[in-house]
Structure formats: C-alpha cells, structure tokens
Amino acid sequence: MDTKLKSDIAESAVVTELLKRGYSVLKPFGDRLPYDVAVDLNSKLIRIQVKSAWLYNGNYTIDTRRTKTNRRQMLRKRYGQEDFDFAIIYIDELKVFYIMPVSVFSQFASGISLVETDKRQRKPKSASYRENWDLLARVGCLIEKVE
C-alpha cells in the first residue's frame, strides 16, 4: 500500500470517527493547506492535520514534517504553531487514534514514536493523547465560555 492510500484511509477513519462523535466536519478542496479537515465548534473552525502511523522497529511512528513534492524534488518542512490546531494520528492496524494539540506535535523535530506495548515500567508521554477525544470537547467548551 502506498503512502497516499494510507493517508486517504487515515483521513477517512478520522472523519468517520468525528462524525460518530457528533462533530460537523469540513473537508478543504485540494491539498494545499497545512491541515486536512476542520470541525465547526460553535462557529469556530478547529483545523486538524491527519497523520497515518506505520510500524517501525516495534513502535508506530509518524513523520511530523510537511512534505511537498514536485517532479524534481521532495521538500520537507516542519509545521508551525499557526498551521493547524490539532494533529490526529491514526494507527490503522489497531484502529487507534491519538489526538495531539499542535503545541505538543510541533515540538518534535522529525518524527514521533508511539509505544503500544505495556511492557514498560512507565507510560510514554504520548500515552496521554491516546483516544483523548476530550481535548477537542474542551476546546468547544472554551469557545462557548468566551462568547
């Protein structure tokens, strides 16, 4: 399976999960924006970058950089704080989602490893973002309080 197909599957899974959770989902036309989908929370758009994880050396990993390609070269660039609000990382084999604020996601230089085994003495930092859909719900509550 090529990376484009994997990313399409991840986007589809994220959109489906968001819809099941009652969110209004918007999908931009084309792929020129630094985010893949958005949700409308009380008339405010929350921009989401979707990433698909793959198994590498016993852990699931993702590239935290933006990749642009043309016919001659592939350019990789780090995402900035202003590019999106949340990254949702999808592990297709496990049907698991990680919901991570951009402030956390953008701290990683080139990749994130997600540990899905319980054979460690302590949980990795990423564990607090596993299936943490409350992060999106809390943003919705904060928007309501501001208005």
Side-chain angles (χ1 to χ4, degrees):
M1 196 179 324
D2 67 26
T3 56
K4 184 64 177 156
L5 180 56
K6 285 182 181 183
S7 67
D8 288 344
I9 290 168
E11 276 185 40
S12 229
V14 167
V15 167
T16 299
E17 189 64 26
L18 288 166
L19 290 170
K20 284 179 180 179
R21 291 174 178 278
Y23 290 99
S24 299
V25 180
L26 297 97
K27 175 84 173 103
F29 185 76
D31 60 359
R32 290 174 182 81
L33 296 173
Y35 58 92
D36 297 308
V37 297
V39 293
D40 184 338
L41 291 175
N42 304 315
S43 300
K44 303 288 184 202
L45 294 183
I46 305 301
R47 302 160 302 158
I48 298 171
Q49 173 56 239
V50 176
K51 291 289 185 179
S52 177
W54 67 92
L55 193 58
Y56 180 74
N57 288 340
N59 292 324
Y60 289 92
T61 188
I62 61 148
D63 192 341
T64 58
R65 298 168 295 179
R66 188 174 184 181
T67 303
K68 289 185 177 183
T69 57
N70 63 28
R71 294 179 195 185
R72 295 192 180 112
Q73 63 184 354
M74 180 170 62
L75 303 171
R76 293 186 186 234
K77 179 182 166 189
R78 289 182 66 185
Y79 287 100
Q81 294 278 332
E82 69 287 343
D83 288 333
F84 55 88
D85 303 301
F86 286 91
I88 298 182
I89 302 161
Y90 181 63
I91 302 175
D92 185 38
E93 293 85 2
L94 305 176
K95 308 300 183 234
V96 169
F97 301 90
Y98 282 77
I99 299 82
M100 200 173 282
V102 69
S103 59
V104 174
F105 184 88
S106 63
Q107 290 176 0
F108 294 88
S110 62
I112 299 173
S113 288
L114 304 169
V115 179
E116 282 292 316
T117 60
D118 285 334
K119 297 180 180 178
R120 297 178 62 152
Q121 289 181 324
R122 61 184 168 93
K123 295 263 186 208
K125 290 179 184 177
S126 61
S128 64
Y129 301 103
R130 188 181 197 275
E131 298 293 341
N132 194 347
W133 294 98
D134 287 343
L135 289 173
L136 286 179
R138 277 188 254 154
V139 169
C141 292
L142 290 174
I143 290 171
E144 278 182 18
K145 287 180 184 178
V146 170
E147 293 177 348

